[in-house]
Amino acid sequence: MLSTERLSPAFPQHSRLDERGRLQIGGCDAIELAREFGTPLYAVAEEDLRARARSYLDAFRARHDDFVVAYGAKANACTAVLEVFAGEGLWCDVASAGELQLALGAGFSPERLIVHGNARTEEELELALGSGAGLVVVDNFDDIDRLERLTSAASGAPAGPAAAHEGQDVLVRVTPGVRPGTHASISTGQADSKFGLGIDDAARAIERIDAIEGLRLLGLHVHVGSQLMELEPFVAAVAAIAPLGSFDVYDLGGGLGVAYGAGEHPPAVEDYVAALVEAVQSALGPGKRIIVEPGRSLVANACATLYTVVSVKRNVSVWVAVDGGMSDNLRPMLYGARYEAQVADRFGDSVPCRLVGKHCESGDVLVHDAALQDPEVGDVVVTPATGAYGLAMANNYNGVPRPAMVFCRDGQARLVVRRETYDDLRARDVS
Ligand code: LLP
């Protein structure tokens, strides 16, 4: 029997160890992927992306009539990933003009875009309005000033009762004063935040928007943080915004946590959706449209990064150095995020070691407390759960080209993002 049970939940659902103990992702052999496409390589089980999208849709369908699942594109905005979610019928949450362009290019219809940002210029908002974006989320009073100017200009008349058009649909982003148990850098719901407006300011924003002809306020938005392993903060956020009044639409953001290794148990999607539906129905009333914006929980576990071991040495600790690092996964350095690592054809834990990258910096440690099975130069090492905020935050530190990404499905691998070349590194330089 295939030894799927030896894989932690951090690995894609569509992965397994074959009878030789070699990792297969979406039916593709990890060592062969490394040989064919080179390393570092982001290997994505395409069916895993689809399965996770469907689990959100099914969980809502079973409980609530009016819902929207919008993919939080910031987690991984490559076109192939966006195309999968557009095809599955999701909407898309975009956090910048760039993400908006990527989402449109990947086939999301404009009315399915939810446009975010805490520092949007007039040009960016104009692009959102001009492209017909379904929802613009108001983050601050300056947004309101800009949207007022833009919508009155678009109507060809000054803002006010004279403007005879339905207007741009907007939500107000509220900071609910909920502090979730996650890393401070990815915690957004607390009162002292750069995102959104506190309850009192949100009430003033609502009044202002109501008086602007070109804007139609549909409801509220909250996002308490990311990588949340408990449901209470989501429920608390719903309760916290109830005093602002009754609206048709409540966008509850993203944030559901994922397993980065064995022994981590994030809430199931069904339980998360059930908790949100229950919270909205009891605190805000029946018949509301509920929007969620999952990013990480749709993409993180669908992907594993493949590296090649370049050097193994003992300097007090055993240091296993690979051909990538903080240029393809910044999360350990930014948030102290913990990853699991395995030799792709020798799962096991005989040698406690530090898995480090190739960058000129002592902090370039991918896994501080790795345990690999007899690691050797030339081995392919895999770190699972790198589909979210990996490629999205990849960079060229030390002139390291960013990795390729492949989609693996039924034993077929398809290149969806090509590896950067050395020429790419100077492509924008003007000399
Ligand atoms: N909606 C809004 C308004 C957000 O700000 C975010 C994430 C999401 C949805 C998606 O949240 P998710 O489901 O992915 O937790 N780079 C960090 C994560 C930053 C999250 C920013 N906002 C990391 O690597 O952990």
Side-chain angles (χ1 to χ4, degrees), residues 52 55-56 227-234 255-259 264-276 297 301:
R52 290 177 202 272
S55 73
Y56 268 98
Q227 183 54 12
L228 301 196
M229 298 298 269
E230 283 161 3
L231 297 176
E232 286 73 18
F234 297 109
L256 182 62
V258 304
E264 293 182 25
H265 303 287
V269 166
E270 293 70 33
D271 295 336
Y272 164 73
V273 169
L276 296 187
S297 54
N301 297 111

Side-chain angles (χ1 to χ4, degrees), residues 72 74-75 93 116 173 186 221 223 225-227 253-256 293-297 331 335 389 393:
K74 69 209 78 187
D93 140 19
H116 283 280
R173 179 163 179 169
I186 50 177
H221 174 279
H223 171 77
S226 198
Q227 183 54 12
L256 182 62
E293 301 170 339
R296 187 189 316 265
S297 54
R331 302 197 65 260
Y335 321 112
Y389 307 110
M393 299 197 296

Side-chain angles (χ1 to χ4, degrees), residues 24-186:
Q24 314 281 311
I25 298 170
C28 298
D29 184 88
I31 310 283
E32 281 167 22
L33 287 173
R35 203 170 292 144
E36 182 177 350
F37 297 98
T39 55
L41 181 69
Y42 299 111
V44 175
E46 183 180 346
E47 286 305 296
D48 195 280
L49 297 175
R50 296 187 188 280
R52 290 177 202 272
R54 288 172 194 171
S55 73
Y56 268 98
L57 297 171
D58 291 345
F60 268 109
R61 263 184 217 120
R63 294 171 178 85
H64 195 72
D65 289 336
D66 194 357
F67 67 88
V68 166
V69 179
Y71 170 51
K74 69 209 78 187
N76 188 331
C78 83
T79 298
V81 169
L82 294 168
E83 281 173 349
V84 164
F85 292 137
E88 292 295 324
L90 305 194
W91 290 32
C92 193
D93 140 19
V94 295
S96 68
E99 284 182 2
L100 182 136
Q101 303 281 12
L102 289 167
L104 287 174
F108 282 99
S109 56
E111 63 275 12
R112 291 186 166 215
L113 297 186
I114 303 175
V115 183
H116 283 280
N118 71 308
R120 286 169 298 195
T121 62
E122 197 139 327
E123 291 69 38
E124 286 175 298
L125 285 170
E126 192 170 14
L127 181 73
L129 268 50
S131 64
L135 281 169
V136 172
V137 181
V138 169
D139 177 89
N140 52 60
F141 289 104
D142 305 297
D143 274 350
I144 302 178
D145 293 340
R146 294 188 180 107
L147 287 168
E148 180 169 26
R149 277 198 296 275
L150 287 168
T151 52
S152 66
S155 75
H165 57 94
E166 273 213 337
Q168 172 66 44
D169 289 342
V170 299
L171 304 177
V172 169
R173 179 163 179 169
V174 186
T175 320
V178 172
R179 193 174 279 279
T182 190
H183 191 281
S185 300
I186 50 177

Side-chain angles (χ1 to χ4, degrees), residues 117-119 139-140 173 175 185 187-197:
N118 71 308
D139 177 89
N140 52 60
R173 179 163 179 169
T175 320
S185 300
S187 169
T188 41
Q190 70 278 11
D192 190 10
S193 169
K194 77 168 194 174
F195 297 104
L197 294 165

